[in-house]
Every structure is written in C-alpha cells, then in structure tokens.
Amino acid sequence: MSTMKISVQTEDFDVSAELAALRLHNPTIGAIVNFVGVVRDLNDGCGVSQLELEHYPGMTEAALKNIALEAKERWQFIDCVIIHRVGALQPLDQIVLVAVASAHRGDAFAACEFMMDFLKTRAPFWKKETTPQGAKWLDARASDEAALKKWQISSKTSDQSNSHADASIVGAITEVQS
C-alpha cells in the first residue's frame, strides 16, 4: 500500500526511522534508495553560517506530491517519502530526505534522482544564506536546470520554477533483499 509521505517541517527527521516506516509490513520491497541533503558551510567560496528556507504552505506540499506522482508514472516503485525542512538551519543540518522503495534497485535509483532533480527546480522553496558579507537570497543554479535535461524537461516550462536549497549528498542505499 503506497502512502507517499510528503512533509514540510521545521523539525529534524530521523532517516533510520523514516526508512523503517517505509518498508514496514511490505515484503515486496527489495530496495530502498535515499538522498539526504545537508547544509554546507561554504557556497561559491563564501562561508555560510545559516541557511533560511521559506515556502508557500499548501502549494509546496502539492508540488512535492505532484513530483512524486510524476515519478510514479515513469517508474515502478512501491512507496516514497519526501521530507523537506524550512526555517533557520545551520551547517551540517539535514535539509531534505527523498526515499524510494521498490522491488528492484533500478527503479528506486531512477525515481529518487528524478524526484530530487525536480524538487531542486520546481518546488516552491526560497533560500537565504547568511555569510560574513551579510544575508542574500539565492537564485537557482544552472547545474540544477541542466540536471533536468536528462529527463527531457526544462524547468523554464514549469509555472513553479524557482530557487531551492543547495544540498550536498549524504547518500545512502539500503538493499533489503538481494
């Protein structure tokens, strides 16, 4: 049974607990692939002391759900979790979790990467970094736009194109079955 957990929250999340809940009572799951984005202490050569994320309540959750549903149309997966934090975050704080459970790793890998690429360009989040030079709002990166090309989609065609938190990878892959 797919629940597609979507959450936008200020509080931190427990990756292990989320992955355990994702696979609970579902013996058809053979793989779980996840991505965890964290706040970096450096961006474009400047030290970052804080990252503040804002969102548009209601619209943001709907956009995240649409991203998951679009991935579900492309790949066969059993369930997924998308958790995104908002508010003031410090370096090393977790920002985002995208986890995908499927019978086989290929679908889970592709769906997870697709969701993360779309989240970076289509979800209505805005970020402001605090550096020694002061606070500044950040624009979307060209590399995020370029990542969509592999999916043959441009965020410029989306009416929800905007900036999103730049996350570094603390990736983890959990193989439940061989």
Side-chain angles (χ1 to χ4, degrees):
M1 177 178 174
S2 177
T3 59
M4 292 202 315
K5 177 180 177 179
I6 307 293
S7 179
V8 177
Q9 60 193 47
T10 56
E11 62 274 359
D12 199 6
F13 50 85
D14 180 337
V15 176
S16 294
E18 294 297 335
L19 297 181
L22 185 61
R23 71 174 189 259
L24 187 65
H25 305 299
N26 197 333
T28 62
I29 292 173
I32 297 174
V33 172
N34 69 278
F35 171 91
V36 177
V38 299
V39 178
R40 292 181 293 177
D41 67 349
L42 191 67
N43 187 26
D44 293 332
C46 292
V48 175
S49 60
Q50 180 174 288
L51 177 66
E52 186 174 346
L53 289 152
E54 293 186 4
H55 76 297
Y56 194 102
M59 178 188 282
T60 304
E61 292 85 351
L64 295 176
K65 183 176 181 180
N66 287 337
I67 290 166
L69 289 171
E70 189 164 344
K72 186 84 169 144
E73 289 178 14
R74 292 172 174 242
W75 294 279
Q76 294 181 2
F77 64 85
I78 297 163
D79 207 352
C80 69
V81 172
I82 300 175
I83 300 174
H84 205 297
R85 294 181 65 198
V86 293
L89 302 172
Q90 310 305 312
L92 299 179
D93 284 351
Q94 298 179 127
I95 302 171
V96 62
L97 168 65
V98 175
V100 179
S102 68
H104 305 285
R105 69 180 180 267
D107 285 328
F109 272 114
C112 187
E113 185 177 17
F114 175 88
M115 285 188 240
M116 201 54 228
D117 286 347
F118 270 54
L119 193 152
K120 294 278 290 178
T121 56
R122 286 197 176 169
F125 290 101
W126 297 270
K127 74 175 183 177
K128 180 171 56 172
E129 282 184 340
T130 302
T131 69
Q133 292 76 33
K136 63 179 179 178
W137 291 99
L138 301 176
D139 294 323
R141 293 179 175 270
S143 60
D144 294 334
E145 177 68 30
L148 290 183
K149 290 182 181 177
K150 72 177 146 230
W151 311 114
Q152 299 179 354
I153 295 172
S154 169
S155 70
K156 301 254 188 275
T157 63
S158 169
D159 58 8
Q160 296 177 347
S161 178
N162 58 56
S163 297
H164 170 69
D166 184 18
S168 59
I169 295 177
V170 178
I173 303 161
T174 306
E175 284 283 343
V176 180
Q177 298 176 346
S178 298

